[in-house]
């Protein structure tokens, strides 16, 4: 029988100092930041980057959790879920909730801000929420990296951070990105522009986060993280690229997203 701690020990040995996500740490396990934005050691002795993942009512589940799985493995990193208010925040399907352990008002300077995307209702409400947009603008002033997953790029655009840049978003959000916000859409898995990195829909957040991990901790560590989480995608179907999909398949995909939301 495999000892219950075997997997954790293997991952720690591979990544060199695996950091558990701060969603399980509680308020005392969150790193504080100095006035210049440099993360200070927290109660568990971490002195690495402080990473805040912004969620809101109606976010898409993998948008924050995929990146959290990658970024929490960066040695000494602290990862926290943040929202307008502390407490459980439900996904676009309403089936699952994550716990936000910090409200926007309680978050200090972040080294990395990651903005999740969401379903139609969630995004419509978030795009009109000035508290969220102001938080993104203010956080961006101090971050080392400001990032987004899926339609979260629309929130960066609404906050005025994507002017004159190309950006990646979910293919269903591309038209809104261009027509509403005047931002050039790039159909890539992720796009790096200055200190901003945007990524395409949902699963692309894992790719972006591995790239971000390489910028923060080096390529060797990022490669080790990829192996540690055994990220070696081999999907059963070759239908994940909107640029190659038929109109009928895209229509069906949009219907499924809409029908699954609450």
């Amino acid at each position: 029988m495999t000892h219950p701690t075997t997997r954790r020990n293997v991952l720690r040995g591979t990544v060199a100092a695996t950091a558990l996500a701060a969603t399980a740490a509680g308020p005392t396990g969150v790193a504080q930041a100095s006035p210049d934005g440099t993360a200070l050691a927290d109660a568990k002795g971490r002195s690495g980057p402080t990473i805040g993942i912004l969620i809101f009512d109606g976010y898409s589940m993998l948008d924050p959790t995929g990146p959290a799985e990658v970024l929490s493995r960066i040695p000494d990193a602290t990862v926290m879920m943040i929202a307008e208010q502390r407490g459980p925040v439900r996904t676009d399907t309403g089936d699952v909730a994550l716990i936000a352990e910090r409200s926007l008002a309680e978050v200090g300077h972040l080294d990395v801000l990651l903005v999740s995307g969401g379903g139609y209702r969630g995004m419509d409400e978030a795009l009109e929420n000035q508290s969220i947009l102001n938080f993104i603008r203010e956080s961006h002033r101090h971050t080392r990296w400001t990032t987004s997953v899926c339609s979260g790029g629309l929130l960066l655009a609404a906050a005025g951070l994507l002017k004159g840049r190309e950006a990646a978003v979910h293919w269903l959000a591309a038209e809104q990105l261009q027509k509403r916000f005047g931002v050039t859409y790039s159909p890539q898995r992720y796009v790096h522009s200055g200190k901003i990195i945007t990524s395409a829909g949902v699963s692309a957040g894992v790719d972006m986060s591995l790239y971000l991990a390489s910028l923060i901790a080096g390529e060797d560590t990022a490669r080790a993280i990829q192996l540690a989480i055994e990220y070696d995608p081999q999907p059963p179907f070759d239908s994940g690229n909107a640029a190659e999909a038929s109109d009928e398949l895209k229509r069906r995909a949009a219907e499924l997203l809409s029908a699954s939301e609450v």
Side-chain angles (χ1 to χ4, degrees):
M1 179 180 294
T2 302
H3 191 279
T5 61
T6 297
R7 178 176 179 272
R8 180 171 294 175
N9 290 337
V10 170
L11 290 177
R12 282 177 174 168
T14 303
V15 183
T18 299
L20 295 177
T23 50
T28 59
V30 177
Q32 299 301 312
S34 64
D36 65 357
T38 304
L40 301 177
D42 69 359
K44 293 191 176 181
R46 299 175 189 165
S47 58
T50 302
I51 301 167
I53 300 180
L54 177 62
I55 57 177
F56 49 85
D57 183 43
Y59 65 93
S60 295
M61 183 65 182
L62 193 60
D63 286 9
T65 57
E69 179 65 39
V70 172
L71 299 174
S72 64
R73 309 295 179 180
I74 295 174
D76 291 323
T78 296
V79 177
M80 67 180 96
M81 296 292 170
I82 55 181
E84 193 168 13
Q85 302 295 333
R86 283 193 190 195
V89 185
R90 291 212 164 266
T91 63
D92 49 0
T93 66
D95 297 317
V96 180
L98 291 177
I99 302 298
E101 62 178 352
R102 281 288 185 272
S103 69
L104 302 185
E106 295 171 321
V107 177
H109 293 178
L110 297 170
D111 298 302
V112 177
L113 171 64
L114 188 147
V115 179
S116 304
Y120 299 110
R121 177 189 60 80
M123 284 306 306
D124 286 346
E125 293 175 358
L127 286 168
E128 299 300 324
N129 190 319
Q130 291 305 310
S131 294
I132 289 177
L133 298 181
N134 288 336
F135 173 80
I136 293 172
R137 293 187 193 101
E138 181 61 24
S139 294
H140 179 66
R141 293 177 53 201
H142 305 286
T143 58
R144 181 180 176 190
W145 303 105
T146 299
T147 69
S148 65
V149 179
C150 194
S151 52
L154 295 179
L155 289 171
L156 298 189
L161 304 188
L162 299 183
K163 293 179 180 178
R165 302 179 187 269
E166 292 187 1
V169 292
H170 192 288
W171 57 273
L172 281 170
E175 183 175 2
Q176 187 174 14
L177 181 74
Q178 296 185 115
K179 291 186 176 180
R180 180 174 177 180
F181 298 109
V183 177
T184 302
Y185 166 65
S186 180
Q188 308 298 320
R189 291 292 279 178
Y190 56 85
V191 174
H192 183 175
S193 177
K195 72 170 188 175
I196 296 177
I197 310 174
T198 53
S199 63
V202 194
S203 64
V206 176
D207 296 13
M208 183 274 289
S209 297
L210 284 167
Y211 174 65
L212 178 59
S214 75
L215 297 178
I216 294 172
E219 185 173 324
D220 286 348
T221 296
R223 286 178 176 272
I225 293 173
Q226 181 173 347
L227 178 59
I229 65 173
E230 205 167 3
Y231 180 58
D232 184 26
Q234 299 176 40
F237 312 110
D238 183 18
S239 58
N241 187 342
E244 300 174 356
S246 67
D247 289 342
E248 173 61 23
L249 186 59
K250 288 190 281 190
R251 181 193 63 78
R252 176 63 173 150
E255 285 180 349
L256 288 171
L257 286 174
S258 180
S260 63
E261 290 184 20
V262 296

